[in-house]
Amino acid sequence: MAETRSPPVAKKVEHAMHMFGDVRVDNYYWLRDDSRCDPDMLSYLRAENEYTDSVMSGTKQFENQLFAEIRGRIKEDDISAPLPKGPYYYYKKNSQGKEYVQHCRRLVADNKAEPSVHDTMPTGPDAPPEHIILDENLKAQEHGYYRIGTFKVSPDHKLVAYAEDTKGDEIYAVHVIDSESLKPVGQPLKGVTCYLQWAGDDALVYVTMDEILRPDKVWLHKLGTEQSSDVCLYHEKDDMFSLDLHASESHQYIFVASESKTTRFVFSLDVSNPQDGLRVLTPRVDGIDSSVSHRGNHFFIQRRSSEFYNSEVVACLVDDPSKTTVLIPHRESVKIQEIQLFRDHLAVFERERGLQKITVHRLPAEGQPLNGLQAGRCVSFVDPVYKVDSTESEFSSSVLRFCYSSLKTPPSVYDYDMDSGTSVIKKIDIVLGGFDASNYVTERKWVSAADGTQIPMSIVYNKNLAKLDGSDPCMLYGYGSYEISVDPYFKTSRLSLLDRGFIYVIAHVRGGGEMGRQWYENGKLLKKKNTFTDFIACAESLIELKYCSKEKLCVEGRSAGGLLMGAVLNMRPDLFKVVVAGVPFVDALTTMLDPTIPLTTSEWEEWGDPRKEEYYFYMKSYSPVDNVTAQNYPNILVTAGLNDPRVMYSEPAKFVAKLREMKTDNNLLLFKCELGAGHFSKSGRFEKLQEDAFKFAFMMKVLDMIPASV
């Protein structure tokens, strides 16, 4: 028997915070150290990690078995679907046993031909040779953490610019290399974001951040010159706003956007004359959010306001952006998620009743008047619930590329001929280990929330194992913030749960974007608690519908989904057996009161500004750290990353310390803090799988599902 040691006890240092006549005492405030080198703090994190290792030592063999099983489903030597761009096919390649990808290209044998959905990249001895432009494995050897945030090829294909993060703090260095000789061109750009675009073949546009890591300045860099001589194109001084950058599909413009949670306005930069600087394209109007695309002599603008909350699409002449023509009007039941523009077509990614769809419209020839759109053609999908992502496509072609997956369908890349409606599958991720999609059932169920609102849930299970009599183990996942849609996507590691009889469910709670803009508006600010009560309603419904029982219900959320976990833990600790809170945003009130913390100022439009009394007391009523009480809690696993710039490691650390002090049960409470990673955990593809194996081992240990032979 492994020796069971006592959990760590964090020292208490009283820290009183006064506001609106209210006093909050935070005995663990000292755990926050922005330099991340306080010896007492590091010693406490290490003690927690050691305690976690000790508790889980008896299941280490099972965890390793799970890891081997999860890794064994991955085809380790594989390439992405090659994307034709100009004279080359570009693709990423994974090799056996390697953590990271290689960025490669091959010449297109006949690049004069019109692109077709039936094109395939030739391989074999007679094909043009493969050229490896960047091998991330070689770069990562020198670092404990390695992530490429951007990889951009110059318009003439002679140079490549890429942004690398070697800590997990999301502060990047941009390197430019010659795509053939691979030699560096000039000095790297230091201390920048991963927002990066080519302005012609010899200049880059990039974004830097202020001291609270808010993207606030956009710069023009001429290759061969010092970074210190770069031209600042725009400085956003309002700390509620952050900058964003993207290139038009036509590659003739770069769009610089400044956005808050409710407002977004756009400048354009003419790539052929970058020295002319930015031009205002959509004005700054509070509550209006616009995104821009370009084709010929028109800009296409996706525009949202409180009146047109699900967005409309309008067009204007490049020479006169003030006069607009409505191409797709606002609809109450259909949200326009994004548009993708081509020389002859417009592809519109939409959402209706929680499901995504793609509608394709043919456009009049460039230069012709744009008075409206012809009726569109819809791309059809087969599963009852699924996820569709737009990917890069060639502007001048009639081929739309998208990625499709569902809870039982591995990621599949399709090329869709927008003229004929023909879909051709270009790649489906191979799942090894005897995977057969027909063994799994996916469903959509609707749940009545406390106020009668219908909440969708996406469900998957192995039809040969799930008994559906209330005795099955179940994992319920939730997020519900920032208008982010957690669509039902495929994940290979999840099969290790499904093939042990788990039912897996995603609760599409308010605060996300699954059901349109109003769905988000009804789960933020002073309506935030809808996110929590929706999730509780989903959990209760799963028990009522006999998908599981309280004794078998595991729940998980990450980041803002970790806030959801913390809130429902305090509200209904009796409802769950296991709670997994990944990098959880659990000290919401204290963080939102501190504008020096990264992201705080821009988040006031999401959570509210607690320097105002109404928001202060509302946030205090749900902020997880502030609501830990002396009661029984379920089994809990909390994770964090020391270098995380999005959720400071001290939030989960404080939450765990306070739970240890207050809880009245003997259930497991484990804290695992990665001391060399950020918000998105470790960087290697297999390292990430280790986290899933650990998490699953924890859940199955609690549920007493680990076979005795292991």
Side-chain angles (χ1 to χ4, degrees):
M1 271 286 284
E3 177 199 349
T4 51
R5 57 199 283 175
S6 302
V9 176
K11 70 178 180 186
K12 291 165 75 167
V13 179
E14 189 173 315
H15 177 85
M17 295 173 282
H18 301 259
M19 196 119 188
F20 303 119
D22 181 53
V23 183
R24 290 181 305 134
V25 176
D26 183 350
N27 291 321
Y28 304 108
Y29 190 86
W30 67 270
L31 279 165
R32 175 183 165 188
D33 170 37
D34 293 4
S35 73
R36 291 164 170 80
C37 22
D38 174 59
D40 285 359
M41 175 274 292
L42 288 170
S43 161
Y44 171 68
L45 295 185
R46 287 195 186 99
E48 285 285 1
N49 282 344
E50 285 161 14
Y51 174 68
T52 295
D53 289 343
S54 155
V55 170
M56 296 297 287
S57 60
T59 53
K60 190 69 187 166
Q61 195 182 339
F62 178 65
E63 183 192 328
N64 291 341
Q65 186 182 311
L66 274 176
F67 174 71
E69 173 182 302
I70 294 168
R71 182 169 174 167
R73 293 194 194 98
I74 293 172
K75 187 174 186 298
E76 294 195 13
D77 51 338
D78 201 8
I79 71 164
S80 62
L83 178 69
K85 280 204 295 198
Y88 295 97
Y89 284 105
Y90 286 88
Y91 55 96
K92 291 178 190 172
K93 185 165 106 173
N94 276 307
S95 299
Q96 191 77 29
K98 300 284 192 191
E99 291 276 6
Y100 299 93
V101 299
Q102 295 173 314
H103 300 258
C104 309
R105 74 181 181 193
R106 282 179 199 260
L107 274 166
V108 173
D110 176 16
N111 76 322
K112 300 288 183 287
E114 191 70 22
S116 154
V117 291
H118 301 292
D119 290 342
T120 52
M121 181 178 78
T123 53
D126 300 328
E130 174 177 274
H131 178 58
I132 299 169
I133 303 170
L134 181 70
D135 186 340
E136 291 186 21
N137 296 288
L138 296 176
K139 297 279 180 188
Q141 283 173 3
E142 301 149 40
H143 308 285
Y145 179 97
Y146 191 80
R147 183 168 181 269
I148 295 277
T150 313
F151 180 89
K152 298 272 183 193
V153 182
S154 63
D156 65 5
H157 300 269
K158 289 180 179 170
L159 302 173
V160 167
Y162 64 92
E164 67 177 18
D165 170 10
T166 57
K167 273 189 177 168
D169 59 6
E170 297 176 56
I171 299 170
Y172 292 83
V174 168
H175 301 263
V176 179
I177 57 171
D178 181 294
S179 59
E180 283 298 325
S181 71
L182 310 186
K183 290 194 165 65
V185 175
Q187 293 300 309
L189 303 171
K190 296 285 182 67
V192 302
T193 67
C194 63
Y195 301 142
L196 180 71
Q197 296 292 344
W198 284 97
D201 296 317
D202 59 356
L204 290 166
V205 176
Y206 65 92
V207 175
T208 56
M209 297 181 281
D210 63 12
E211 61 283 352
I212 58 164
L213 305 185
R214 176 181 67 94
D216 71 327
K217 289 192 181 95
V218 61
W219 301 83
L220 178 66
H221 172 71
K222 194 94 173 141
L223 293 189
T225 64
E226 295 291 321
Q227 186 175 355
S228 56
S229 61
D230 290 351
V231 177
C232 183
L233 297 171
Y234 180 67
H235 179 196
E236 179 53 78
K237 293 178 179 152
D238 185 334
D239 60 12
M240 300 277 279
F241 283 75
S242 298
L243 297 182
D244 188 10
L245 198 60
H246 75 280
S248 67
E249 292 96 332
S250 66
H251 301 297
Q252 292 178 13
Y253 289 90
I254 291 172
F255 299 120
V256 174
S258 182
E259 59 184 355
S260 71
K261 293 282 184 289
T262 59
T263 303
R264 190 173 195 268
F265 56 98
V266 182
F267 303 92
S268 64
L269 181 77
D270 185 339
V271 168
S272 58
N273 296 298
Q275 65 284 350
D276 292 353
L278 300 182
R279 170 186 168 201
V280 175
L281 212 164
T282 58
R284 182 177 193 144
V285 180
D286 190 43
I288 294 193
D289 178 311
S290 52
S291 302
V292 186
S293 302
H294 165 260
R295 167 193 177 262
N297 57 348
H298 287 94
F299 289 125
F300 286 59
I301 302 168
Q302 181 182 332
R303 190 162 63 188
R304 182 186 54 70
S305 65
S306 54
E307 188 185 355
F308 301 135
Y309 50 82
N310 276 334
S311 297
E312 59 178 359
V313 176
V314 302
C316 65
L317 289 168
V318 167
D319 298 334
D320 187 6
S322 61
K323 289 200 187 106
T324 59
T325 303
V326 176
L327 299 179
I328 304 175
H330 173 260
R331 292 154 295 170
E332 272 191 31
S333 61
V334 183
K335 173 185 168 186
I336 299 170
Q337 195 162 303
E338 64 174 304
I339 63 174
Q340 201 168 348
L341 201 48
F342 295 80
R343 187 185 57 203
D344 300 318
H345 301 87
L346 172 66
V348 187
F349 289 75
E350 301 169 311
R351 308 186 75 87
E352 187 168 21
R353 278 191 64 75
L355 290 176
Q356 297 169 285
K357 59 183 197 172
I358 305 173
T359 309
V360 172
H361 302 267
R362 185 153 185 97
L363 297 172
E366 283 188 16
Q368 295 296 308
L370 257 178
N371 301 320
L373 293 178
Q374 300 172 351
R377 181 203 298 266
C378 282
V379 182
S380 54
F381 304 111
V382 291
D383 294 292
V385 291
Y386 52 85
K387 177 176 171 62
V388 180
D389 289 314
S390 64
T391 65
E392 194 178 351
S393 303
E394 273 283 72
F395 173 75
S396 59
S397 78
S398 61
V399 179
L400 168 70
R401 174 165 287 192
F402 61 84
C403 186
Y404 174 88
S405 77
S406 79
L407 291 168
K408 66 172 194 171
T409 310
S412 315
V413 176
Y414 285 88
D415 278 355
Y416 176 80
D417 186 314
M418 293 183 282
D419 288 325
S420 69
T422 307
S423 275
V424 175
I425 191 157
K426 292 282 138 182
K427 175 178 171 57
I428 181 161
D429 282 6
I430 292 168
V431 181
L432 304 174
F435 169 74
D436 179 353
S438 67
N439 288 331
Y440 305 91
V441 174
T442 61
E443 298 174 345
R444 163 133 298 178
K445 290 278 189 236
W446 296 84
V447 176
S448 285
D451 61 2
T453 302
Q454 293 297 295
I455 313 297
M457 295 192 299
S458 299
I459 301 172
V460 63
Y461 54 85
N462 184 322
K463 67 182 184 187
N464 306 314
L465 296 173
K467 295 185 278 301
L468 305 180
D469 61 359
S471 68
D472 298 310
C474 179
M475 162 67 105
L476 174 64
Y477 184 88
Y479 187 76
S481 292
Y482 302 116
E483 205 180 356
I484 287 172
S485 302
V486 181
D487 290 304
Y489 66 102
F490 186 83
K491 191 174 180 188
T492 50
S493 60
R494 193 186 296 139
L495 296 172
S496 289
L497 296 179
L498 301 180
D499 292 349
R500 285 175 173 80
F502 271 83
I503 293 168
Y504 183 87
V505 186
I506 301 171
H508 303 288
V509 294
R510 279 175 286 185
E514 289 92 340
M515 298 280 288
R517 179 72 183 186
Q518 291 301 108
W519 199 248
Y520 166 57
E521 298 281 359
N522 290 331
K524 67 184 285 204
L525 299 174
L526 298 170
K527 296 178 179 174
K528 186 67 217 166
K529 287 185 188 172
N530 284 337
T531 306
F532 316 140
T533 52
D534 286 359
F535 189 84
I536 288 168
C538 287
E540 289 175 331
S541 169
L542 288 171
I543 294 163
E544 200 180 312
L545 294 168
K546 298 235 179 319
Y547 281 104
C548 65
S549 63
K550 287 182 184 181
E551 288 69 41
K552 295 283 185 78
L553 180 56
C554 307
V555 293
E556 182 186 12
R558 282 181 61 83
S559 195
L563 165 74
L564 167 61
M565 292 302 107
V568 299
L569 253 181
N570 287 324
M571 291 163 74
R572 286 296 306 277
D574 62 302
L575 194 52
F576 319 107
K577 183 71 173 178
V578 178
V579 178
V580 179
V583 290
F585 174 48
V586 279
D587 197 14
L589 180 55
T590 302
T591 293
M592 285 296 112
L593 280 167
D594 187 346
T596 68
I597 292 177
L599 303 182
T600 291
T601 53
S602 63
E603 302 273 300
W604 285 330
E605 289 177 341
E606 176 78 22
W607 312 103
D609 181 351
R611 297 173 306 175
K612 298 172 183 158
E613 188 168 355
E614 183 181 25
Y615 286 109
Y616 174 89
F617 284 106
Y618 186 76
M619 289 176 75
K620 186 188 175 189
S621 71
Y622 71 74
S623 180
V625 164
D626 292 290
N627 287 280
V628 173
T629 56
Q631 60 179 347
N632 285 355
Y633 282 90
N635 299 273
I636 304 168
L637 171 64
V638 180
T639 67
L642 183 62
N643 297 325
D644 190 340
R646 293 169 185 252
V647 176
M648 197 177 274
Y649 73 89
S650 51
E651 294 199 31
K654 286 180 189 202
F655 186 54
V656 168
K658 193 166 179 186
L659 279 167
R660 289 216 188 285
E661 177 196 349
M662 305 288 290
K663 75 191 192 85
T664 52
D665 58 83
N666 293 316
N667 290 328
L668 289 179
L669 168 58
L670 301 185
F671 182 41
K672 190 175 172 67
C673 183
E674 288 296 344
L675 301 179
H679 194 65
F680 300 105
S681 72
K682 290 184 172 180
S683 52
R685 61 174 173 151
F686 303 129
E687 291 176 318
K688 287 181 187 296
L689 304 180
Q690 195 80 53
E691 296 199 354
D692 284 341
F694 178 83
K695 179 173 69 187
F696 295 171
F698 173 76
M699 286 161 43
M700 287 187 243
K701 175 185 171 79
V702 172
L703 295 175
D704 200 20
M705 288 177 65
I706 297 176
S709 58
V710 175

